[in-house]
Amino acid sequence: MDRPCLRDGRNDLTYAEVVQRAAAFAEELAERGVGPGDVLAVMLPNRVELLIGLLAAWRLGAAATPINPSFTEGEAGYQLRDSGARLVLNSGPAAPSAGLPVIHVDEMRCEPRGIPQQREVRPDELALLVYTSGSTGRPKGVMLDHANLDAMASTMAGHFGATDADHCLLVLPLFHVNAICVSFLTMMLRGGQLTVLERFEPRSFLAAVEQHRPTYFSAVPTIYARLAELPDELSADTSSVRFAVCGAAPVSRELLERCESRFGFPLVEGYGLTEGTCASACNPVDGVRKLGTVGPALPGQRIATISPEGELLPTGATGEVVIRGANVMRGYLDRPEDTAATLVDGWLRTGDVGRIDEDGYLTLVDRVKDMIIRGGENLYPKEIESVLHGHPGVLEAAVVGAPHEVYGEVPVAYVVPYPDAEVTVDDLLARCRHELTKVKLPVEVHLLGELPKNPVGKIDKPTLRKALRAR
């Protein structure tokens, strides 16, 4: 219990100290009325206290919903209301709370005042409500229970060959299930160490690698692109890293090869969804890595492709990717119709298109949905379009992804005003800045007389994307 466990820029805790801190905060939450079946909202930047909050909620039989700390009042308020959160752990009086009771992070109880209550966590208890948007743009709460989390952490630990000698450097945001499962829970399950970075910056990240000597980390293509573009004369000792994981967005073979050559550790590309508790396929750390694929199905899972009619397709055929296994979510919170459309005959329908080769390796071909992946962040055009439509002078709006060297894709908006309406680009951008997190802001807004339409009268987004790629 005296082994190193969690650290960040403020804390360096052993396993025993983490248990004590979680017990103390659970005691405080219980005194504030949090109990089995309740939801704790955690709206913090990456720091140890966020993870203590999760552990404390789970001790009580409660779930946690992590919220992007950069969300506006409207964005955070929606998640707080929809999740039914009872209380918010946040960073201070200025943080959104939607009128709910708040515990500020600097006021968390750190030592129990009584004898900590022991309670066994049940596999079927709700553990996380992680919000993701659907094709309508309305965020949905993905319900993940402890059985889901255990299946994912156990799978990743086995796939990585993780032991108590491993040390993960966490750089992805903790309001994503990737950071929680691949970095945090995998290390806790194996008795390893976790060092939490608040944010990513290329030079400070490499300095952290030299200082803390991690054995692995998980990141998105944008992070690897930022590392790869550093000046050649900038060197760092990365010899402790035995592998790194790349996921959340498509990555080029060239970037993978460049990073491996420069930094000396293998990159394993994987694939998954929040609805599948993070990962469903991943190239092996030791074994055949096929660049350009996201690897085979992880142990305990099955991946297949289906036709538009829902029939399973043979090896090599292109179709919608479907997944099944103990990692698949129990459903969307209070969204039975969305759940029924996504969980069909025991399969999780991903909305992605791919093909599986004779060795079981999955290659992603395209996305069925209009989702834009900006630096690993999933952006949903409908949400941005809804904000644009909130301007009284906007008749039509369409948002699509434009190629970007660093971020992969960035949102570009096309707007048709009502005839004779006073609509300016500056007005629209100001509205977006007020309603949306910075990452969701369109990089360009174009005012048009009309938008292209397909034969049935719907906005023809493929034509807009094609024009952007041709620039």
Side-chain angles (χ1 to χ4, degrees), residues 124-135:
D124 62 345
E125 288 178 333
L126 185 64
L128 288 175
L129 275 173
V130 182
Y131 273 72
T132 182
S133 295
S135 58

Side-chain angles (χ1 to χ4, degrees), residues 120-198:
E120 185 173 349
V121 174
R122 298 201 313 268
D124 62 345
E125 288 178 333
L126 185 64
L128 288 175
L129 275 173
V130 182
Y131 273 72
T132 182
S133 295
S135 58
T136 65
R138 292 190 64 202
K140 299 190 291 291
V142 175
M143 296 188 292
L144 301 176
D145 56 31
H146 287 283
N148 294 141
L149 300 189
D150 181 66
M152 182 52 54
S154 299
T155 295
M156 299 315 298
H159 187 71
F160 296 155
T163 70
D164 60 4
D166 276 301
H167 178 182
C168 179
L169 185 62
L170 187 154
V171 65
L172 294 178
L174 275 164
F175 55 84
H176 280 183
V177 74
N178 185 309
I180 294 172
C181 289
V182 176
S183 298
F184 173 50
L185 293 179
T186 296
M187 281 295 87
M188 298 304 96
L189 185 65
R190 285 293 193 257
Q193 299 182 55
L194 181 69
T195 295
V196 178
L197 299 183
E198 183 171 341

Side-chain angles (χ1 to χ4, degrees), residues 76 79 122 133-134 151 170 173 179 182 202 225 231 250 257-258 264 295 411 420 449 452 454 457 462:
Q79 185 170 337
R122 298 201 313 268
S133 295
L170 187 154
V182 176
E257 291 174 339
R258 182 173 179 179
D420 304 320
N454 65 19

Side-chain angles (χ1 to χ4, degrees), residues 4 38 47 84 149 156 168 188 196 237 255 299 345 385 393 404 420 451 459:
D38 288 329
R47 55 188 295 175
L149 300 189
M156 299 315 298
C168 179
M188 298 304 96
V196 178
D237 181 1
L255 179 58
D345 297 329
E385 290 162 3
H404 191 277
D420 304 320
L451 289 169
I459 296 172

Side-chain angles (χ1 to χ4, degrees), residues 2 9 28 69 96 103 123 134 137 146 152 167 174 191 201 237 273 284 288 320 366 388 394 424 442 446 455 464:
D2 290 332
E28 182 177 12
I103 295 178
H146 287 283
M152 182 52 54
H167 178 182
L174 275 164
E201 191 283 321
D237 181 1
L273 292 82
V288 177
E320 183 180 357
D366 203 348
L388 294 169
V394 171
T424 69
H446 300 276
L464 293 174

